[in-house]
Amino acid sequence: MGSSPRPLAPGDVEARLRARFGDDVVAFEEQHGHAVATVTRARYREVVAFLRDEPDLACDYCDFTTGVDLRERGLEVVTHLYSTTHRHNVRLKVLLPPEDPVCPTISDLFPTADWHERETMEMFGIRFEGHPQPVSLLLPEQFEGHPLRKDFVLMTREAKPWPGAVEGEEEEEE
């Protein structure tokens, strides 16, 4: 008889990931009861497939994939998976170099990741290798830059000469 579905503790998730992927699990922590594993770019797809297909993990729902700009350290892809069977959460992180932010796509493993990867490509400039439709989702095609990167210059912070009179200094009529 099989065991009934139950959430795995973050430590159990870590043990299974390290047993299968060894040193490709670069770091592991527990955050708010969630398992959070940092994995290598080379094994990211495999780890996602393992989390989805391994019966005790059964992470069948991809909640989101996004990016984080860590400045000099590079860019990070963050993917949050959830098991609707066992009711546990696993978050994966992949650190990418700032000069070559490329990560394998998981859009074929989780169709919902298609949209999230496109948004991450557009907002952070992270390319998802193998993505079936790497085109803009939110911004016009002519838009330049990646608005969620920390080095993106916000137009409201650019000093521009004001074409009219400065408030409070209007010339009085004589």
Side-chain angles (χ1 to χ4, degrees):
M1 283 216 287
S3 62
S4 62
R6 66 175 183 82
L8 284 180
D12 293 334
V13 173
E14 177 183 15
R16 289 165 196 257
L17 288 175
R18 289 195 186 277
R20 176 73 182 259
F21 298 100
D23 291 340
D24 287 309
V25 178
V26 178
F28 191 90
E29 60 185 311
E30 179 180 335
Q31 290 181 342
H32 309 290
H34 297 178
V36 182
T38 301
V39 300
T40 62
R41 171 171 52 176
R43 302 293 297 276
Y44 169 67
R45 272 183 60 77
E46 276 183 82
V47 173
V48 170
F50 177 75
L51 288 168
R52 182 191 66 182
D53 299 339
E54 180 65 29
D56 288 341
L57 294 163
C59 292
D60 56 343
Y61 177 68
C62 179
D63 190 20
F64 66 82
T65 293
T66 191
V68 178
D69 184 345
L70 300 172
R71 294 211 184 248
E72 297 79 28
R73 290 181 43 214
L75 296 164
E76 189 173 64
V77 170
V78 180
T79 298
H80 190 100
L81 303 175
Y82 178 73
S83 172
T84 59
T85 303
H86 302 298
R87 298 181 189 211
H88 53 240
N89 297 274
V90 180
R91 191 162 37 258
L92 291 179
K93 296 180 177 185
V94 180
L95 186 61
L96 304 171
E99 65 280 352
D100 184 28
V102 179
C103 188
T105 186
I106 59 165
S107 61
D108 57 323
L109 301 174
F110 286 102
T112 190
D114 179 284
W115 189 90
H116 296 283
E117 288 178 357
R118 285 176 60 193
E119 179 184 48
T120 303
M121 281 186 271
E122 201 169 4
M123 296 293 147
F124 289 94
I126 297 171
R127 189 168 55 84
F128 288 89
E129 197 167 55
H131 193 281
Q133 192 178 14
V135 296
S136 291
L137 182 68
L138 304 170
L139 301 171
E141 287 295 329
Q142 67 273 18
F143 191 89
E144 292 182 21
H146 306 289
L148 293 183
R149 280 198 180 185
K150 291 181 179 169
D151 62 358
F152 185 78
V153 178
L154 298 173
M155 294 313 291
T156 58
R157 294 191 180 153
E158 283 290 297
K160 293 182 182 178
W162 182 250
V166 176
E167 186 176 341
E169 294 182 12
E170 292 87 5
E171 292 183 25
E172 290 182 24
E173 290 183 30
E174 293 184 28

